[in-house]
Amino acid sequence: MTSVLKRLLPIGFLAFSVLLTGCDVVGDARPSGPPTTTATPSRSGTELAARYRQAGGDADIYGIRHAKGEKGFPVLSVWTHKKGGYQNFDDIANSLTLFLSKEGVRLDRGYLLNAYAPDGTRLHSLDTVPEHNWPQSSG
């Protein structure tokens, strides 16, 4: 019995260590610390943000990017001068999505919205993709 325990102990220790580090067996590394992005949006992102501000959007937003996510839904990134985030981020999200819809961005299947501080630290994340937020029916 002790020889079995001696053989299983290293395997158990390894499995426990993997669980503690947040890594999984297939090597899908996860970053430590807060999610970040570059603090500088692209030129087209700053131009889009300028149009957003001209349309009455939040004056602190200096960059906007939209791209398709893995499953085809839009991933929106916003860069803001606010270092501490927004007290009511839903208002910003509604304003931004209304503007982007008028710009021709399709958001009817939901979207993922991330807001970043000037240093690139993620301040807010909003996921409206139904498959991510609602349980699937089994029948």
Side-chain angles (χ1 to χ4, degrees):
M1 179 78 168
T2 30
S3 64
V4 172
L5 286 176
K6 285 182 182 179
R7 282 187 260 150
L8 291 178
L9 187 59
I11 294 170
F13 179 75
L14 178 63
F16 183 72
S17 297
V18 168
L19 289 172
L20 283 180
T21 63
C23 295
D24 54 22
V25 179
V26 293
D28 183 22
R30 292 181 177 52
S32 60
T36 60
T37 189
T38 176
T40 311
S42 68
R43 181 179 178 141
S44 62
T46 57
E47 291 169 355
L48 184 59
R51 289 196 307 273
Y52 170 68
R53 290 189 309 272
Q54 288 171 351
D58 184 87
D60 286 315
I61 292 179
Y62 65 92
I64 301 171
R65 182 187 72 172
H66 58 89
K68 283 194 177 187
E70 288 179 18
K71 295 184 180 179
F73 60 86
V75 176
L76 312 174
S77 299
V78 173
W79 288 263
T80 179
H81 291 294
K82 288 193 178 265
K83 295 177 183 170
Y86 291 91
Q87 195 167 29
N88 190 351
F89 188 62
D90 287 343
D91 290 343
I92 299 299
N94 290 335
S95 168
L96 182 67
T97 56
L98 179 63
F99 168 77
L100 289 173
S101 293
K102 290 178 182 177
E103 289 276 316
V105 179
R106 296 214 37 204
L107 304 171
D108 55 329
R109 289 183 46 213
Y111 56 89
L112 176 62
L113 171 60
N114 292 302
Y116 297 96
D119 67 356
T121 302
R122 186 169 62 191
L123 301 171
H124 302 281
S125 185
L126 176 63
D127 186 350
T128 68
V129 178
E131 298 91 57
H132 296 169
N133 297 308
W134 303 103
Q136 300 290 323
S137 77
S138 59

